Amino acid sequence: MVRATTLFAATAALALNAHAESMYSKKSDVVQITGMDYDRVIAKSNYTSIVEFYAPWCGHCKNLKPAYETAAKSLAGIAKVAAVNCDEEMNKPFCGQMGVQGFPTLKIVRPGKKPGKPMVEDYQGPRTAKGIVDAVKDKVPNTVKRVSDKNLDDWLEENKDTAKAILFSEKGIVSATLRALAIDFAGLVSVAQVKKSEKTAVEKYGITAFPSLILIPAGSDTPVKHEGKVDKAAMVQFLSQVAPPNPDCPPPKEKKPKAKKDAKKESKSSSKFSKASASHKSADSSSAAASATDETVEEPVVPTESPDPNIKDEDTPEPVVISAEERKPTIPTITESAELQSMCLNEQSKTCILALLPKDESSDAAKTAAASLASIHRKYDVSGSHLFPFIGVSASNPVAASLLAELNLGSAEQVHLVATNGKRAWYKKYSGSAFGAEEVEQWVDAIRMGEGKKEKLPDSLLVVGEKAEVKEEKVAEQEPVKIEVEEMAEDATQDAEAPGHNEL
Ligand SMILES: *[C@@H]1O[C@H](CO)[C@@H](O)[C@H](O)[C@H]1NC(C)=O
């Protein structure tokens, strides 16, 4: 989880500012998220999401807004539609890490095989409500079993100890709505779909109208028939007699995690570490060591709008004037090892500047270092140029201890600044003892220019790149995806004829 370290500002003041320039109102069906809640609300959700990365001044973003809001309405109860304001100071490192280079950028995020490890892909389709809705529906995972006369008894037997729901439909394809219903009740109700042409099953339950939903309680043969409208909300309510549906994401964490929880995390992350280092090939590390010397300047990347501008010059952004009051210096602080690994410590990651914070994050040195980093980053942000992310690593992050030990940084009671580059496997320490903006900026400049002594980043600190993992999973999933695409094409056509609840 990423959380902002508030140095001078009261959290409440920051929260007020956080949505000051949001493009979407609170009433909008589009959910405003920040880099802080992405992990919990999107990455750890069982639902598929689409996330728009935008800047409020961007003309294409304004043009997209009505279609995006319509899409959000159509996808209600099926998938999450979210937006991140990348102009917001606290979201900038996150937007950078998500590879956002132009506005708007749309990414579809869907649950992966491993919980919390979603598959993320850019949405490149038409920027219309229909284009977005179809693409997102297509990515909603399917756990609904299609049951026929032949395998009905087997399915009933397999699921005899759980509650079961069967949707009888004229259609063979499983709609996104029913797939979403199965996600709502994952682990609570097994969901199947039976086509009208399966005569034996239809007769067995006395079904005469389509679509019809029935519920068979655990350990029972007696179905309960759903009466009334067969839409998402009604179906959720009907199945809720078994148990309330799953929440759409894990609840927010308490500020202070319990000691027990921490220990669990620690052992998890250390096994990950050893697995990662075991999979490293020696050839990799020698080439990484060789390339660790040839880095030059990091090219500043200025986020641009995507092409095809439909807007006139007067719409082009004016430089945003930010009052000192609005720009309280903050850097994001990461408390979880997986988050830090996926941002900065994998084989794909580019340069990051990490501030390892002592337990007492409000100590003078910690405050000064974080404020210096924040003010340096802000300089770049204001000028619109890209600078590698500055990340606070909280002392409770299990990776902090590994970094301290592996890089011989010294005492955990002190602040340590270190630049890392996972791809090229190097790191650079900040050797000064003062953390004023001037001293720290000199060091940051040297890193930008590729100057200064680089040391070899130990393999044990790097996990295998997320991107590689995503690719593998995609390949493995190719077959079922193919089948779904075919079905969905049919689904989409039917949607166009009869939108809304008729898709069942
Ligand atoms: C996700 O689904 C699993 C069952 O597959 C369920 O146990 C879990 O509670 C769901 N997660 C959330 C956040 O609801």
Side-chain angles (χ1 to χ4, degrees):
M1 190 182 87
V2 182
R3 100 187 125 73
T5 304
T6 326
L7 294 153
F8 307 129
T11 318
L14 191 86
L16 273 178
N17 284 333
H19 295 293
E21 283 193 80
S22 288
M23 203 165 69
Y24 297 98
S25 77
K26 281 222 169 82
K27 277 187 223 146
S28 171
D29 290 299
V30 175
V31 186
Q32 286 278 334
I33 61 161
T34 68
M36 294 195 292
D37 20 67
Y38 171 82
D39 188 52
R40 182 178 67 81
V41 176
I42 305 292
K44 291 198 170 125
S45 173
N46 286 344
Y47 296 86
T48 293
S49 305
I50 184 161
V51 184
E52 178 196 5
F53 297 84
Y54 76 93
W57 45 258
C58 131
H60 289 302
C61 304
K62 289 178 196 159
N63 290 346
L64 173 64
K65 186 181 167 185
Y68 202 58
E69 295 201 299
T70 305
K73 246 195 194 84
S74 314
L75 289 169
I78 295 175
K80 293 188 181 188
V81 177
V84 182
N85 180 353
C86 292
D87 209 31
E88 197 60 57
E89 193 62 32
M90 77 207 293
N91 292 336
K92 282 184 178 171
F94 169 67
C95 295
Q97 285 302 321
M98 292 299 283
V100 174
Q101 301 208 337
F103 299 128
T105 293
L106 292 165
K107 287 178 189 283
I108 296 178
V109 183
R110 64 185 156 134
K113 295 238 165 71
K114 284 185 224 141
K117 291 258 173 198
M119 286 183 268
V120 182
E121 57 194 298
D122 282 358
Y123 170 73
Q124 312 268 22
R127 291 193 188 153
T128 58
K130 179 162 185 353
I132 292 168
V133 168
D134 288 349
V136 173
K137 278 185 174 178
D138 187 32
K139 298 288 193 275
V140 175
N142 186 18
T143 57
V144 177
K145 177 89 178 162
R146 282 194 282 173
V147 170
S148 63
D149 283 345
K150 255 193 224 151
N151 59 10
L152 175 65
D153 288 340
D154 290 345
W155 184 76
L156 291 171
E157 177 61 25
E158 276 162 32
N159 295 281
K160 65 174 191 290
D161 297 328
T162 44
K164 296 164 283 296
I166 304 176
L167 181 82
F168 292 87
S169 170
E170 290 188 302
K171 296 165 189 168
I173 51 163
V174 178
S175 70
T177 302
L178 191 64
R179 282 179 278 147
L181 186 74
I183 298 168
D184 292 337
F185 291 93
L188 304 169
V189 180
S190 303
V191 180
Q193 176 164 321
V194 171
K195 208 175 170 182
K196 187 181 180 181
S197 54
E198 303 298 319
K199 293 263 156 37
T200 315
V202 167
E203 260 166 46
K204 173 175 172 135
Y205 294 105
I207 304 300
T208 51
F210 301 87
S212 272
L213 182 66
I214 63 165
L215 176 65
I216 307 166
S220 157
D221 289 330
T222 318
V224 186
K225 270 190 200 164
H226 168 67
E227 308 287 348
K229 220 171 158 187
V230 191
D231 64 12
K232 179 73 194 315
M235 290 195 293
V236 169
Q237 206 190 356
F238 177 65
L239 296 191
S240 295
Q241 60 188 286
V242 174
N246 294 316
D248 71 356
C249 61
K253 286 225 176 79
E254 304 147 53
K255 285 263 155 62
K256 285 200 172 148
K258 307 218 163 57
K260 212 173 162 188
K261 238 182 181 173
D262 265 359
K264 210 164 129 199
K265 258 184 231 152
E266 197 130 17
S267 67
K268 223 165 131 193
S269 81
S270 62
S271 68
K272 210 168 179 185
F273 269 119
S274 51
K275 200 171 133 208
S277 57
S279 68
H280 265 273
K281 309 211 167 56
S282 53
D284 281 352
S285 48
S286 61
S287 67
S291 67
T293 51
D294 61 25
E295 193 200 69
T296 50
V297 191
E298 291 246 345
E299 288 253 274
V301 179
V302 184
T304 53
E305 287 194 48
S306 317
D308 137 60
N310 225 345
I311 42 155
K312 291 171 200 107
D313 268 343
E314 59 255 35
D315 274 351
T316 33
E318 285 166 35
V320 190
V321 182
I322 300 118
S323 69
E325 193 51 32
E326 281 174 304
R327 292 281 186 162
K328 299 280 162 43
T330 61
I331 58 170
T333 297
I334 295 184
T335 54
E336 285 188 12
S337 45
E339 187 78 29
L340 184 60
Q341 285 158 349
S342 79
M343 272 184 135
C344 297
L345 293 172
N346 64 69
E347 292 176 312
Q348 309 278 334
S349 48
K350 296 185 186 155
T351 306
C352 286
I353 294 202
L354 307 179
L356 277 78
L357 302 171
K359 255 203 198 87
D360 180 9
E361 288 180 12
S362 62
S363 77
D364 280 348
K367 272 185 179 173
T368 312
S372 297
L373 287 174
S375 69
I376 295 164
H377 215 286
R378 190 175 59 208
K379 262 208 317 222
Y380 283 84
D381 292 337
V382 168
S383 73
S385 42
H386 175 82
L387 183 62
F388 24 75
F390 293 176
I391 306 286
V393 181
S394 111
S396 66
N397 189 320
V399 178
S402 315
L403 284 166
L404 283 173
E406 296 271 17
L407 308 183
N408 290 315
L409 295 176
S411 160
E413 304 296 318
Q414 281 159 2
V415 184
H416 301 279
L417 299 184
V418 56
T420 60
N421 186 309
K423 195 165 181 181
R424 294 172 187 247
W426 59 251
Y427 74 96
K428 285 179 189 178
K429 283 185 215 183
Y430 175 69
S431 52
S433 53
F435 296 97
E438 226 168 278
E439 298 95 302
V440 174
E441 187 164 9
Q442 273 180 20
W443 177 69
V444 170
D445 277 343
I447 294 162
R448 285 186 55 236
M449 306 305 288
E451 292 165 4
K453 187 164 168 266
K454 291 190 181 99
E455 294 175 81
K456 167 86 178 67
L457 195 63
D459 289 348
S460 56
L461 287 172
L462 293 176
V463 296
V464 177
E466 295 243 300
K467 278 181 190 154
E469 200 170 296
V470 169
K471 252 183 220 153
E472 275 167 32
E473 290 201 9
K474 264 189 195 157
V475 172
E477 282 215 339
Q478 237 164 31
E479 222 171 299
V481 165
K482 219 169 159 187
I483 297 163
E484 277 208 358
V485 165
E486 221 170 81
E487 291 173 0
M488 286 308 118
E490 203 185 318
D491 200 4
T493 322
Q494 279 154 351
D495 278 358
E497 289 160 5
H501 56 266
N502 286 341
E503 71 168 352
L504 292 171

